[in-house]
Amino acid sequence: MIFPNKSIYSGLLTAVLCMYCFSNQQNRLYGQKNAELALQGIVYDAMTRAPVNSGIVLILELKKKSEISNTGVYRITVPKPGTYTIAVKSEGLKLFKSAVAVQGNTIKNIPLEPFSARASGITITGKRDLQTVSRHTMSLKKIKEVPATFGDSMNAITALPGVIRTGGDLFGPIVIRGGEYHGIRYLIDDIPIYSPLHYGGLHSVINSNLIEEIDLYSSAFPAEFGSATSAVISMNTIDEVKEFSGYTDLSILSASALAQTCIINNDDGSIAMGSPLEYGRKERKTSGYIIASGRISYIDLIILPLVGLLTGERLSVVPNYWDYQLKAKYSFNSAHSLTLFCMGSKDYFRLSNNKWANDGSDPLLTGLKVNTDQMSHGQGIYYTYQPSERFRNRLTFYSSLRESSVQVNFPAPGVTIALRDISLSSRPYIFGFLDKFKIEAIKKHLELRGGAEYNIYYFTASGQRPQFSGRGLTMDVTSDALTPVFIKEKIVNHTIGGYVETKFTYGGFTFVPGFRSDYFRRINQATWDPRCLISYEFPSKTTISLAGGKYSYFFQTNPNNFDGSPQYAKIGKYAPPEWAIHRVIGLKQEIGLFTLQVEGYWNEFNDLAQQYVHIGPDGHVRQTMSSGKIRAYGAEIMLEMDRREGEDGVFGWVSYTYTRSRFRSGLPHYPGSYGVAFDSSGGLPTTLDDVVFNKIGDIWGNRWRNYGFEQNHNFKLILGYAYKKHMITGKFMLYTSTPYTPIVYSQEDTEYHATTGMYRYIPVYGRTNSRHFPLYHRLDVRYSNTTTYSWGHVSWYIEIINVYNNRPIVTERWDYRFPYFTSVKQLNFNRKNPKRSSYSDTIAFIPNFGVEVKF
């Protein structure tokens, strides 16, 4: 960007300060005495150096504020010498908060950085240079106040419209607008991550205090994002540190900490690290920073014993995890800088079912043991060249490494040999090179963006896993349709891609055409993805937007697919890229502190890979068929109310989302003896009553049915109130369930009866995802109390998830001791089988409390 001559603003700053100094001198000459000390100066935009024309300055300890004049001048008094914490806010710029030592009348000029999100209350807004339709940016400074998030950024995303969890409530991966959840792209500072959440989804793998903001693109995302068909979640970490500081947070779930310091340029040309001993001293010129953070959980030490105390059950599930992050930056001069970013996480999960099934659960699960161990690491080196505000180029080398180990054993008699001693180790390593540039060709009117990327996917795996052979009549754990397969794979894939987009702005009109293409060497195919955004903002702050395009993804490059089925990474030409078409229309209206957003969307997903073992036309065995489709359409409405920084008041938002998501596998009806079909609709692979009669295949293959993670109606209300050091927030959710596949019949396991003398009945399922559970609602609340000191603050909090302990009905519980019957009088049994129920051996009411210290 080009700004007015900086010398003009420097002269203006000097003139204004001289006027104040002259005025103070006049007061002393005439003998006017005032016991109070004055803190005064100019507040200006750090990028343009122009004084702001409005805003407020607050002294937190005194709860005193002063308005900023239209020339950027402020003046506020204090009763005595000391160190005071000031907060400065001006519209459209970042909040400034710092300790200032006042020993006498003090002059302090305050630069405010350009800001992409209003840091007030629980804030959602958008960057000024990016699209606003189908996009939300959440400021993470206050997002921890959203209840039921455990202070975590990724959990807070689920409070936004159109976002649900695959588990239907608190846990599981994220689904957005009814789209394919494997098609969501997660990025941290442009580094792709494929395991963004720790086991169970309680925490993300990155410390929330390291994140500056998180962007959610629900649909129609820009051309810079590839390898995604559904949505993009991009996390941006802190990129500025002015002094030594840090955070620590202790809760009943985990402990986390962050420490950061700046790199100081001394007057003699040497460099030094910021120190807590320098707190409150005058600002020095900095050339970079170092940040280190991490988290460790102790669920097995606190949560599991607590659950056992409340339920009387000893849980056999033991999850543990930890993570770390390190970021360092050094600016050689105003144009060149180098940044290093490292992160990693480890998850360990153990399940041991040592009790005999006397409550109707499957006796074949007795003795089941599951051990999983997963470790992920990501590294990035960034070189940034920015000689002016109108040109910027960033070159990135990165790696995303994961090691996963799974051991599963079904020792009970009667279980097929394929499920005994399952052991699989996988190492999907990804290495990448990315170059991105931005050029402002015509100031405020024409901007060019583009980039190129090259990736190497080095995947290895070894071990033993079960595979469906297509034989047998049932999909039960006793089925001979499962055979053990020994794996030893080493697969290398390559992709190369790039994008270009032009942003044209004139008045309130914005037009952003873009294009992206990616080439996958294994299948020798390239994608061609045009994308476009058109919007117009009226003087009344009303914005109308249209956006859409084509979005592609190569499923062979996804490490999550590789971990479970390593052979998928080497599927060749008969498996084309999955692709989607997005269409979005949006309306945004800002009125004071209120923002209303309304959007409609229609997204179609095509060529989705379906697991389907069959013989192709060339006579070779094929593992998949690219025949799946999803149609997801709906509407969202959201009303947000903000509050001014430093003022007490109400804030929050309310939203409603309607989603219809339909799936079709496209698989053949009767594939004969060549194979057995599975679909990705979130339900069971096929209809078992047809399997019983040797009709192996997907009988609904050409019919549209409910997608497994469709949630038709979702209402969310997040409301908070801040009063001085107190803040209370609440979240109320009301939503329909995701669909499920009903049990329609049962089959006696005669082999098990002959072996043990006991009865075991295998459930047979009907049409996939054809029914829904009842409506569910939940209320979460959180209270925090923050005390501010000259060195930082201490905030303690307590939150209660599911205040009135409402348990969702989440399953059709099958009693393996009895056959299928729907009447309590049938067969003289005083119960139904199956029976709708929640997981009664767990608690829905979850308390959490802790303390955060900022220094």
Side-chain angles (χ1 to χ4, degrees):
M1 296 181 181
I2 296 178
F3 300 100
N5 193 326
K6 295 183 179 180
S7 63
I8 296 177
Y9 295 124
S10 300
L12 178 59
L13 297 179
T14 303
V16 173
L17 290 178
C18 287
M19 291 173 61
Y20 266 91
C21 293
F22 178 76
S23 175
N24 291 337
Q25 182 65 21
Q26 289 285 82
N27 290 339
R28 286 191 290 270
L29 290 175
Y30 285 97
Q32 296 178 358
K33 294 184 179 180
N34 190 343
E36 292 190 329
L37 304 176
L39 174 64
Q40 58 197 32
I42 301 292
V43 181
Y44 61 95
D45 187 315
M47 179 177 291
T48 67
R49 309 294 294 181
V52 302
N53 55 20
S54 64
I56 57 173
V57 178
L58 303 96
I59 297 181
L60 301 183
E61 290 84 357
L62 304 178
K63 295 181 174 57
K64 187 175 184 179
K65 69 178 181 178
S66 174
E67 299 289 334
I68 301 173
S69 74
N70 57 8
T71 59
V73 176
Y74 77 93
R75 186 177 189 275
I76 193 167
T77 59
V78 298
K80 60 182 180 179
T83 299
Y84 297 90
T85 305
I86 64 170
V88 184
K89 172 65 179 173
S90 182
E91 183 67 26
L93 299 170
K94 278 188 179 182
L95 171 70
F96 176 88
K97 192 174 180 181
S98 178
V100 178
V102 180
Q103 303 301 328
N105 291 331
T106 303
I107 295 176
K108 182 175 178 60
N109 299 327
I110 300 172
L112 299 184
E113 299 291 338
F115 181 51
S116 59
R118 296 168 290 177
S120 54
I122 301 174
T123 305
I124 308 172
T125 186
K127 288 183 179 178
R128 290 174 291 177
D129 65 335
L130 295 174
Q131 68 184 54
T132 57
V133 66
S134 291
R135 177 182 176 275
H136 296 288
T137 295
M138 302 189 76
S139 170
L140 297 181
K141 292 182 180 179
K142 295 297 182 180
I143 206 59
K144 290 177 287 186
E145 301 300 336
V146 178
T149 65
F150 305 105
D152 186 76
S153 56
M154 289 297 295
N155 287 328
I157 287 292
T158 62
L160 293 174
V163 183
I164 68 170
R165 307 294 285 267
T166 57
D169 192 29
L170 284 173
F171 309 107
I174 288 174
V175 176
I176 299 173
R177 288 184 172 177
E180 174 65 68
Y181 74 93
H182 287 301
I184 299 177
R185 177 81 156 170
Y186 296 89
L187 298 166
I188 299 179
D189 286 351
D190 285 337
I191 298 177
I193 55 172
Y194 295 90
S195 300
L197 296 165
H198 287 292
Y199 283 154
L202 292 178
H203 285 112
S204 62
V205 296
I206 188 168
N207 192 307
S208 293
N209 291 308
L210 180 62
I211 297 177
E212 185 169 5
E213 59 188 17
I214 182 168
D215 293 323
L216 166 66
Y217 296 89
S218 303
S219 296
F221 37 90
E224 71 171 291
F225 299 113
S227 298
T229 55
S230 182
V232 172
I233 296 177
S234 177
M235 288 164 271
N236 306 304
T237 60
I238 297 170
D239 196 39
E240 183 181 34
V241 178
K242 293 185 176 181
E243 60 187 358
F244 179 88
S245 61
Y247 297 83
T248 183
D249 187 299
L250 299 174
S251 73
I252 63 173
L253 296 175
S254 65
S256 63
L258 178 145
Q260 58 187 11
T261 186
C262 56
I263 299 175
I264 300 172
N265 289 336
N266 294 321
D267 296 335
D268 60 1
S270 63
I271 62 173
M273 297 294 134
S275 166
L277 300 178
E278 296 183 337
Y279 188 81
R281 295 187 181 181
K282 66 177 183 178
E283 295 184 6
R284 295 185 180 183
K285 183 180 179 181
T286 62
S287 57
Y289 56 80
I290 298 176
I291 308 172
S293 60
R295 175 193 289 111
I296 186 170
S297 74
Y298 32 74
I299 296 176
D300 55 329
L301 299 178
I302 298 179
I303 298 299
L304 298 187
L306 179 62
V307 172
L309 179 65
L310 296 177
T311 64
E313 295 282 343
R314 181 183 177 183
L315 299 184
S316 55
V317 180
V318 182
N320 275 297
Y321 52 84
W322 52 259
D323 58 62
Y324 71 89
Q325 301 86 38
L326 174 66
K327 186 176 183 181
K329 179 178 180 179
Y330 183 76
S331 298
F332 299 96
N333 50 47
S334 61
H336 303 271
S337 66
L338 194 65
T339 305
L340 170 68
F341 180 50
C342 302
M343 61 183 177
S345 64
K346 182 178 175 64
D347 290 83
Y348 177 76
F349 177 87
R350 185 177 74 249
L351 183 149
S352 180
N353 184 25
N354 295 318
K355 61 181 181 180
W356 176 253
N358 57 4
D359 59 351
S361 58
D362 193 344
L364 295 183
L365 298 182
T366 302
L368 169 65
K369 295 184 183 299
V370 179
N371 290 283
T372 66
D373 192 349
Q374 180 174 288
M375 183 177 292
S376 300
H377 301 278
Q379 301 86 25
I381 299 177
Y382 310 82
Y383 167 66
T384 303
Y385 174 61
Q386 188 170 358
S388 69
E389 298 293 342
R390 299 180 61 177
F391 177 79
R392 184 175 188 268
N393 187 88
R394 186 166 80 171
L395 182 64
T396 306
F397 295 92
Y398 66 83
S399 63
S400 181
L401 315 176
R402 189 165 77 186
E403 298 182 2
S404 179
S405 176
V406 179
Q407 292 87 35
V408 181
N409 186 28
F410 291 80
V415 176
T416 177
I417 191 173
L419 295 179
R420 299 181 184 274
D421 298 323
I422 298 173
S423 179
L424 184 62
S425 296
S426 60
R427 288 174 172 80
Y429 294 168
I430 301 174
F431 305 91
F433 161 85
L434 173 65
D435 186 59
K436 296 168 67 174
F437 69 87
K438 183 170 69 173
I439 303 172
E440 188 179 27
I442 303 176
K443 181 186 175 184
K444 297 183 179 179
H445 293 297
L446 181 61
E447 184 175 279
L448 303 176
R449 309 175 194 169
E453 185 173 9
Y454 172 71
N455 288 288
I456 299 175
Y457 303 87
Y458 182 81
F459 292 178
T460 61
S462 61
Q464 175 184 324
R465 61 178 291 273
Q467 178 173 297
F468 287 95
S469 64
R471 303 189 308 271
L473 303 181
T474 71
M475 295 300 162
D476 187 55
V477 294
T478 62
S479 173
D480 61 357
L482 291 169
T483 58
V485 176
F486 294 94
I487 294 175
K488 189 174 182 61
E489 299 281 4
K490 178 182 177 181
I491 304 168
V492 180
N493 285 318
H494 304 263
T495 60
I496 185 170
Y499 73 95
V500 62
E501 59 185 3
T502 303
K503 180 182 179 182
F504 175 76
T505 305
Y506 186 80
F509 177 74
T510 300
F511 176 50
V512 186
F515 177 79
R516 182 176 186 93
S517 179
D518 293 278
Y519 171 77
F520 185 31
R521 180 178 175 182
R522 179 170 292 275
I523 65 175
N524 193 28
Q525 289 190 32
T527 62
W528 304 92
D529 297 348
R531 304 175 189 180
C532 187
L533 164 72
I534 302 175
S535 68
Y536 188 83
E537 182 178 358
F538 296 89
S540 60
K541 292 189 176 181
T542 304
T543 304
I544 298 176
S545 302
L546 294 170
K550 183 171 177 282
Y551 308 84
S552 302
Y553 153 70
F554 301 108
F555 74 89
Q556 297 95 327
T557 63
N558 191 326
N560 294 323
N561 295 336
F562 180 78
D563 282 345
S565 302
Q567 71 275 13
Y568 288 169
K570 62 180 180 180
I571 294 177
K573 294 182 179 180
Y574 68 85
E578 299 181 354
W579 57 280
I581 299 294
H582 292 192
R583 310 171 188 89
V584 180
I585 182 171
L587 170 68
K588 181 178 180 180
Q589 177 66 63
E590 296 182 43
I591 304 175
L593 296 176
F594 291 86
T595 302
L596 174 67
Q597 289 180 273
V598 182
E599 290 189 14
Y601 55 90
W602 183 293
N603 302 329
E604 295 180 355
F605 302 83
N606 303 278
D607 291 345
L608 303 181
Q610 308 298 297
Q611 182 179 345
Y612 178 63
V613 182
H614 66 291
I615 304 298
D618 56 1
H620 292 91
V621 177
R622 296 184 174 181
Q623 302 290 330
T624 64
M625 179 177 286
S626 298
S627 56
K629 294 180 180 292
I630 293 177
R631 290 178 181 172
Y633 55 90
E636 296 174 357
I637 182 171
M638 176 177 175
L639 177 63
E640 177 198 358
M641 181 175 64
D642 204 353
R643 69 184 179 98
R644 293 187 176 88
E645 182 65 32
E647 294 186 2
D648 299 335
V650 179
F651 56 90
W653 66 88
V654 59
S655 69
Y656 167 75
T657 303
Y658 170 77
T659 301
R660 196 79 171 96
S661 186
R662 305 281 284 169
F663 170 82
R664 186 176 71 183
S665 72
L667 294 172
H669 187 172
Y670 300 118
S673 61
Y674 286 137
V676 59
F678 299 86
D679 64 50
S680 62
S681 65
L684 291 180
T686 189
T687 304
L688 295 191
D689 53 352
D690 280 83
V691 174
V692 170
F693 295 100
N694 289 318
K695 300 178 182 179
I696 302 174
D698 184 0
I699 67 170
W700 312 109
N702 291 320
R703 299 186 187 182
W704 290 99
R705 55 184 183 262
N706 297 326
Y707 178 52
F709 302 118
E710 174 195 63
Q711 194 175 87
N712 292 139
H713 304 279
N714 192 308
F715 173 83
K716 299 176 183 179
L717 172 63
I718 289 83
L719 195 63
Y721 179 72
Y723 177 72
K724 296 182 179 180
K725 65 178 183 177
H726 308 280
M727 182 176 291
I728 184 168
T729 54
K731 178 173 69 175
F732 176 77
M733 298 193 302
L734 176 70
Y735 55 83
T736 53
S737 77
T738 54
Y740 72 96
T741 303
I743 298 173
V744 297
Y745 194 65
S746 63
Q747 178 185 11
E748 183 182 352
D749 186 350
T750 55
E751 182 178 346
Y752 181 78
H753 178 69
T755 303
T756 65
M758 295 181 290
Y759 288 98
R760 177 177 179 268
Y761 294 89
I762 303 171
V764 176
Y765 293 83
R767 184 172 180 177
T768 306
N769 299 330
S770 58
R771 296 184 186 176
H772 288 79
F773 293 115
L775 198 71
Y776 177 69
H777 49 87
R778 194 184 83 215
L779 174 65
D780 311 316
V781 297
R782 176 186 174 104
Y783 167 77
S784 62
N785 185 303
T786 303
T787 303
T788 303
Y789 302 93
S790 60
W791 48 265
H793 73 244
V794 176
S795 177
W796 63 269
Y797 57 87
I798 182 170
E799 63 182 353
I800 299 176
I801 301 171
N802 200 355
V803 172
Y804 43 81
N805 198 28
N806 184 27
R807 297 177 183 270
I809 295 178
V810 294
T811 185
E812 266 196 325
R813 178 161 292 186
W814 177 255
D815 192 326
Y816 281 82
R817 298 171 297 180
F818 306 114
Y820 173 87
F821 51 92
T822 58
S823 171
V824 294
K825 296 182 180 180
Q826 187 177 358
L827 300 180
N828 296 321
F829 291 121
N830 191 27
R831 60 169 295 166
K832 295 180 180 181
N833 195 30
K835 183 179 180 181
R836 287 183 171 188
S837 69
S838 60
Y839 295 120
S840 58
D841 56 350
T842 61
I843 58 173
F845 175 88
I846 304 176
N848 182 39
F849 56 87
V851 59
E852 180 190 77
V853 179
K854 178 184 181 299
F855 54 89

